[in-house]
Amino acid sequence: MKPDLEGLEISRGELKHLSGLGVNRVYRPPTLKKFGREGVKTLVASGLIFLSYGILSAIVPRYQWALGSVHAIAAAGLILDDTLKLIATHRHQTAIAIWEQVERYNAIVRAIDLFDGLEQAGNPQGAWADRKQMIEALTLIRAELVRALKTEALLRKNRQFIAESGDLFPPDLSNWIAPKLADFPDDTPHGHLLAEAWKVAVAVETQLKPLRDDRRPPRF
């Protein structure tokens, strides 16, 4: 990875640090299909636990009570874990939406790294003249994503603090990125990458708008 790309990708550790939430503690994407799939997994796992109990209790019947307690606790732990994830998913929908944009952003960074690899391998279609503009756009989008994650986390923990922290709300980045689209033909891979980056910026702004509105003084 070239030096100007290093550090642009947002890692899972950084995501957890910025948002204060474990990425694996919620369901992503938060859809009924995902919930149903995870529910089936839990039911299957619980069934295997009780099957294990049945086999072991038949082999060593004298420990039937202890085995039953251990297996019951294990099954209850699975159900409790699913329940906590459902609650966290419902409570942190804004954070999850921003996480989805982080994944899209990271995919763009990895795509640029792929183009760089093609260029270094002597592939002429891998070279492109406007790479610097793309890096500039991604740098600003990264800063916007970081601010969005911090804003959501702080608002979740302390609404009054957010109301006093105007520096957490930068100008709308889409106004800066949109003109850059004219520099990239839409029918090129690089043009598609910048268009995707612009969509990420707009999506993040959409998630930040309610947070900005929350800090505005009430109208009388």
Side-chain angles (χ1 to χ4, degrees):
M1 185 174 286
K2 291 186 176 181
D4 58 359
L5 274 182
E6 292 179 357
L8 277 183
E9 195 169 354
I10 299 176
S11 67
R12 282 201 165 197
E14 187 175 6
L15 195 60
K16 181 178 180 179
H17 173 72
L18 292 170
S19 63
L21 294 171
V23 178
N24 295 326
R25 299 311 304 162
V26 296
Y27 289 126
R28 300 170 57 206
T31 61
L32 289 177
K33 183 178 180 180
K34 178 67 173 179
F35 297 153
R37 185 180 304 150
E38 294 300 325
V40 169
K41 288 181 181 179
T42 299
L43 288 176
V44 171
S46 298
L48 292 175
I49 288 174
F50 286 110
L51 177 62
S52 171
Y53 162 71
I55 294 173
L56 291 176
S57 62
I59 296 174
V60 284
R62 69 168 60 184
Y63 298 112
Q64 187 174 13
W65 183 86
L67 289 171
S69 298
V70 171
H71 284 76
I73 291 173
L78 286 175
I79 296 173
L80 177 62
D81 185 64
D82 269 5
T83 302
L84 292 176
K85 283 185 177 181
L86 282 171
I87 295 173
T89 301
H90 176 71
R91 289 181 176 176
H92 307 306
Q93 294 184 34
T94 301
I96 295 172
I98 298 173
W99 290 353
E100 297 300 318
Q101 301 311 315
V102 170
E103 286 193 355
R104 293 174 65 185
Y105 163 83
N106 284 339
I108 297 171
V109 174
R110 290 191 290 269
I112 295 176
D113 186 43
L114 174 61
F115 278 117
D116 290 343
L118 291 173
E119 181 182 1
Q120 291 174 353
N123 205 330
Q125 61 264 34
W128 47 314
D130 298 311
R131 184 179 180 282
K132 182 179 179 181
Q133 291 182 344
M134 175 67 79
I135 300 300
E136 290 175 355
L138 289 180
T139 300
L140 286 180
I141 294 173
R142 188 187 198 283
E144 181 77 340
L145 285 166
V146 168
R147 290 189 183 99
L149 290 165
K150 287 181 177 180
T151 298
E152 192 281 331
L154 288 171
L155 179 58
R156 186 181 346 115
K157 297 174 182 177
N158 192 328
R159 289 180 178 272
Q160 183 177 358
F161 181 79
I162 287 296
E164 299 170 355
S165 301
D167 61 308
L168 294 173
F169 300 94
D172 188 340
L173 286 184
S174 59
N175 293 332
W176 184 92
I177 296 172
K180 299 291 183 180
L181 290 173
D183 299 331
F184 290 81
D186 291 338
D187 57 350
T188 66
H190 312 129
H192 288 311
L193 279 180
L194 192 60
E196 181 69 10
W198 180 74
K199 291 176 184 177
V200 169
V202 171
V204 173
E205 288 293 332
T206 301
Q207 294 300 324
L208 278 179
K209 187 177 184 304
L211 305 184
R212 288 192 178 96
D213 292 342
D214 283 345
R215 66 181 290 272
R216 291 174 182 168
R219 295 180 179 180
F220 297 97

